[in-house]
Amino acid sequence: VAGAPIAVINADDFYGADAFRKMYDYLSAAQDDDKYRYCMVGYRVENTLTENGHVARGVCVEKDGVLDTIVERTHIEKREDGPAYTEDDGATWHALDEDTTVSMNLWGFTQDFVDALKKDFVSFLENDVPKNPLKAEYFLPFVVNDQIRDGKADVTVLKSADKWFGVTYKADKPVVMAALAEMMQNGTYPDPLWK
């Protein structure tokens, strides 16, 4: 529908029913005013880690439930004494509280966000892709951070208590399959999921 708000997700992530309910409720009432009124669903970092290696997460810095910025941490691990990240290949580790809110790229946008994406995407194609055509990534959080910094948008942080699941490593697949099977068994989702 033209002009309708949009939700953006990663195709290889499982976010949970609670997250989608919160996203729907927010977007159903979202109205831009002097700023774009976006949202994102944040998760406890502890609920997003794998037993099989390190992950990258956007650590959310917020004020009164509104996103201030996202700090990308590209190497977070579940360690014996809790979640921690490193920026120097493990020479030093920085603890993260288990309740730290992280972005898993579940975003809610008003339609105007598409115009911001179009503008910045041209720059990405011209500058980033030629430097690294196989690995260049266009990160939505960077676009959002720019709009927040420029005073154009506020992003409400919706909190989900759900466990996030993803297949970052091959060994993650059976864990995700077991979690989905359990959710079908307890009635969270229909069995079978697809007919």
Side-chain angles (χ1 to χ4, degrees):
V1 177
I6 52 177
V8 178
I9 64 172
N10 289 342
D12 59 347
D13 292 340
F14 177 84
Y15 293 99
D18 178 61
F20 287 112
R21 272 197 278 317
K22 288 181 176 174
M23 178 64 64
Y24 175 83
D25 290 345
Y26 182 91
L27 290 178
S28 294
Q31 294 289 323
D32 290 334
D33 44 38
D34 60 322
K35 291 185 179 184
Y36 302 131
R37 300 296 171 175
Y38 305 149
C39 69
M40 60 151 289
V41 176
Y43 290 79
R44 293 178 67 237
V45 69
E46 181 66 20
N47 288 345
T48 71
L49 301 177
T50 177
E51 300 287 342
N52 300 305
H54 70 275
V55 296
R57 298 289 180 254
V59 175
C60 299
V61 178
E62 57 186 290
K63 294 178 184 172
D64 301 321
V66 176
L67 187 66
D68 184 62
T69 190
I70 292 181
V71 180
E72 294 294 328
R73 300 292 182 207
T74 58
H75 190 128
I76 299 175
E77 289 183 16
K78 183 181 279 192
R79 299 177 55 81
E80 191 173 302
D81 52 349
Y85 69 92
T86 182
E87 295 177 327
D88 55 12
D89 294 322
T92 56
W93 289 91
H94 308 277
L96 284 171
D97 188 283
E98 293 177 351
D99 289 328
T100 298
T101 302
V102 295
S103 169
M104 301 306 303
N105 285 325
L106 176 48
W107 295 96
F109 298 114
T110 55
Q111 189 64 39
D112 292 321
F113 187 69
V114 174
D115 292 332
L117 285 178
K118 287 178 184 176
K119 178 183 71 93
D120 291 338
F121 192 63
V122 171
S123 174
F124 166 76
L125 291 174
E126 292 173 348
N127 299 315
D128 295 64
V129 172
K131 295 175 190 169
N132 193 352
L134 297 178
K135 296 265 186 178
E137 290 187 60
Y138 186 53
F139 291 105
L140 286 181
F142 294 170
V143 178
V144 174
N145 274 342
D146 287 348
Q147 287 193 323
I148 292 170
R149 187 190 65 240
D150 294 344
K152 295 179 180 176
D154 274 347
V155 179
T156 299
V157 179
L158 310 171
K159 306 278 177 102
S160 177
D162 284 343
K163 180 154 176 55
W164 166 92
F165 294 98
V167 183
T168 303
Y169 300 95
K170 184 178 180 179
D172 292 334
K173 183 180 176 184
V175 174
V176 175
M177 290 174 64
L180 287 171
E182 182 180 332
M183 285 183 255
M184 288 185 289
Q185 186 175 16
N186 71 23
T188 303
Y189 292 106
D191 185 6
L193 281 174
W194 299 275
K195 294 183 182 194

